[in-house]
Amino acid sequence: MSEIKAVYFIYYTLFFIVYCVSGFAWNGDTFTRKVSLEMNPGLSPPSAAPPGVSMLHARALGYNDTLHFLLCSGGAPALMLIHTNSSNSRLKVNWTDFLSINPVGSVTVEPESSVQYRGALVFTRLWEYYELNSTEQRVLSPYELKDFEWDDVNKTLDYTHHTARLCGRHTSFSNDTSLCLRFSVYESSGREEAWPSLLHNANSSQLHVLLEGVMPRTNQSQFGLELQTVSEAGLQTRVDVQRSIDDEYTPSIFQVSEWVWPHDNSSSTVGYSQWKPVVYKNSHPAIEDAAPCSHSEPVSLPQAPPSRIISACFAQNPITHGLNVTFNLTSELAPNSTHFLSWTMLVGIGIPPSDFFSPLVIGIMAIGLVTPLLLLLVGGVYICLRKRKQDTLGQYESIN
């Protein structure tokens, strides 16, 4: 009887392992949204935005809420995110006020009472510096992104795939040099094929930063970006680093950085920016094209960034934080290099998407866990059958 119990125990253990592994493999986000794009909302021909100013409105409609993404190039480029608890919320832009010297309150969402979260990510500076020694570095004069000449987003708008590209140039750049932000918004969960293949869902958008053709001012230059976030009162901020043993989707990278905004005295996250600490030096990257990037800790800043959309959306004094993301490419941008950098991040609401084990790792885990138990099961059955046979042959028979 004890042998039979052992067999049943091993059988149910195998079933439990297979159930758990299949749960990891099937654990996906099935929530979807209906996405629509609108260029310069509320601005009808013959009226037109002045050169260098454009606003892309991406509306992601859920069952009982709405996400409003605003990619704007007035001043420093910014991505504004407004989350409402209504599926009927509408964006309104007073273009006369928005283009004036004082655009405060010119961009609103109605009804105002439906707004649950309002935050923005602003790209303010492109840094260049080089190492003097192991403990000292020299910072060159930064490129102020508010002074860039930005192209019209409408020229790159893809209504089918919900993407657009915002490109700008500094007056000191050559004609083939640009800093571009490729914006994507999603209806459901998934990941893009191109590295770093960040996992996204219907509550997130993606910004793919492309720096093309920029000539370094020294042979030991490193580049970096200054990012600033703007949020309303009552929110804290921090950067968490999540680690993993799986690098199938982003080879050689085993961690992800998450800049999150929880409520005061609460662990619940209302907004986030997420990225993997890797930058690529080729538009079709291979392992050898990857280089690490690092970030500073976020610090509080005394004033909002120089972006028109910030003053237009925040009527009261917002809270501003900033950090630097550094692309560690020392001596890599010499005259014979590709002069290309790409870096990717997600911006969204709620809990940042988290990678589960990939099918490859799940398969390895299943083999490693199931094989020993399977051997025990087969061995236990064999021993039980052999013992029963021996007991049968060893019984005494009555003598007639």
Side-chain angles (χ1 to χ4, degrees):
M1 180 66 76
S2 60
E3 292 84 356
I4 296 177
K5 290 182 178 180
V7 171
Y8 276 111
F9 172 77
I10 295 174
Y11 171 79
Y12 284 116
T13 302
L14 284 171
F15 175 79
F16 177 75
I17 291 175
V18 172
Y19 176 80
C20 291
V21 169
S22 63
F24 274 120
W26 193 250
N27 196 350
D29 187 354
T30 59
F31 177 68
T32 61
R33 292 183 181 274
K34 182 179 180 181
V35 174
S36 60
L37 301 181
E38 182 183 12
M39 195 67 215
N40 294 332
L43 190 64
S44 303
S47 300
V53 177
S54 58
M55 183 190 301
L56 171 62
H57 175 216
R59 185 172 184 263
L61 179 64
Y63 300 120
N64 54 8
D65 70 337
T66 306
L67 291 178
H68 298 275
F69 295 96
L70 298 174
L71 180 65
C72 188
S73 61
L79 178 62
M80 187 78 198
L81 172 55
I82 303 174
H83 178 218
T84 72
N85 61 4
S86 170
S87 58
N88 295 315
S89 60
R90 292 291 184 270
L91 180 76
K92 290 190 64 176
V93 181
N94 185 325
W95 281 95
T96 301
D97 292 346
F98 182 73
L99 298 174
S100 68
I101 299 177
N102 184 19
V104 174
S106 58
V107 177
T108 58
V109 170
E110 296 181 349
E112 177 63 27
S113 59
S114 68
V115 176
Q116 302 297 295
Y117 169 72
R118 196 190 325 256
L121 176 70
V122 187
F123 295 80
T124 50
R125 289 185 178 93
L126 174 65
W127 293 103
E128 184 180 356
Y129 58 93
Y130 65 95
E131 304 289 341
L132 294 175
N133 51 52
S134 59
T135 60
E136 186 180 1
Q137 60 184 211
R138 179 180 177 184
V139 179
L140 304 179
S141 58
Y143 299 101
E144 298 285 347
L145 270 62
K146 67 180 178 62
D147 298 328
F148 276 39
E149 297 176 357
W150 297 100
D151 294 339
D152 187 1
V153 177
N154 195 35
K155 297 178 181 178
T156 62
L157 202 55
D158 187 336
Y159 290 96
T160 301
H161 300 96
H162 308 130
T163 64
R165 178 180 290 210
L166 173 62
C167 293
R169 295 160 192 82
H170 194 266
T171 54
S172 63
F173 288 174
S174 60
N175 292 334
D176 58 349
T177 300
S178 63
L179 172 67
C180 296
L181 303 176
R182 185 178 185 272
F183 171 72
S184 303
V185 63
Y186 304 103
E187 293 184 332
S188 60
S189 62
R191 67 176 76 243
E192 295 190 0
E193 294 183 2
W195 291 350
S197 301
L198 294 176
L199 179 66
H200 61 253
N201 58 27
N203 288 331
S204 62
S205 64
Q206 181 172 278
L207 285 171
H208 190 57
V209 182
L210 302 171
L211 185 60
E212 302 180 82
V214 176
M215 294 295 294
R217 286 172 276 185
T218 77
N219 288 333
Q220 300 293 324
S221 286
Q222 297 185 34
F223 285 95
L225 283 173
E226 180 183 274
L227 308 179
Q228 295 187 21
T229 61
V230 183
S231 60
E232 296 175 320
L235 295 179
Q236 298 177 339
T237 186
R238 68 176 187 271
V239 178
D240 298 330
V241 177
Q242 309 294 339
R243 304 184 186 278
S244 173
I245 63 172
D246 189 357
D247 72 334
E248 179 178 355
Y249 298 110
T250 311
S252 76
I253 305 301
F254 296 92
Q255 66 184 48
V256 61
S257 300
E258 297 172 350
W259 193 1
V260 297
W261 291 268
H263 284 292
D264 290 344
N265 304 319
S266 174
S267 59
S268 61
T269 300
V270 295
Y272 68 87
S273 297
Q274 182 192 71
W275 65 88
K276 290 193 174 183
V278 61
V279 59
Y280 294 105
K281 298 172 289 182
N282 198 302
S283 57
H284 302 286
I287 289 291
E288 58 270 19
D289 298 318
C293 68
S294 58
H295 64 82
S296 63
E297 290 300 314
V299 297
S300 178
L301 299 175
Q303 61 185 17
S307 178
R308 185 173 294 273
I309 192 67
I310 300 303
S311 56
C313 287
F314 291 93
Q316 301 178 350
N317 294 330
I319 298 175
T320 304
H321 292 86
L323 60 74
N324 293 323
V325 177
T326 303
F327 309 132
N328 301 315
L329 297 169
T330 303
S331 73
E332 291 293 335
L333 289 177
N336 61 347
S337 70
T338 59
H339 303 296
F340 179 91
L341 296 177
S342 71
W343 178 68
T344 306
M345 68 186 310
L346 292 181
V347 179
I349 64 165
I351 300 175
S354 177
D355 269 319
F356 294 97
F357 292 121
S358 65
L360 176 62
V361 172
I362 291 175
I364 294 173
M365 291 173 58
I367 293 174
L369 293 174
V370 173
T371 301
L373 290 177
L374 188 60
L375 292 175
L376 286 174
L377 176 62
V378 174
V381 172
Y382 173 76
I383 292 173
C384 290
L385 293 176
R386 184 169 182 178
K387 184 175 181 181
R388 176 166 294 187
K389 182 178 181 181
Q390 289 177 348
D391 291 343
T392 303
L393 293 176
Q395 292 178 353
Y396 290 100
E397 297 181 2
S398 59
I399 300 176
N400 295 328

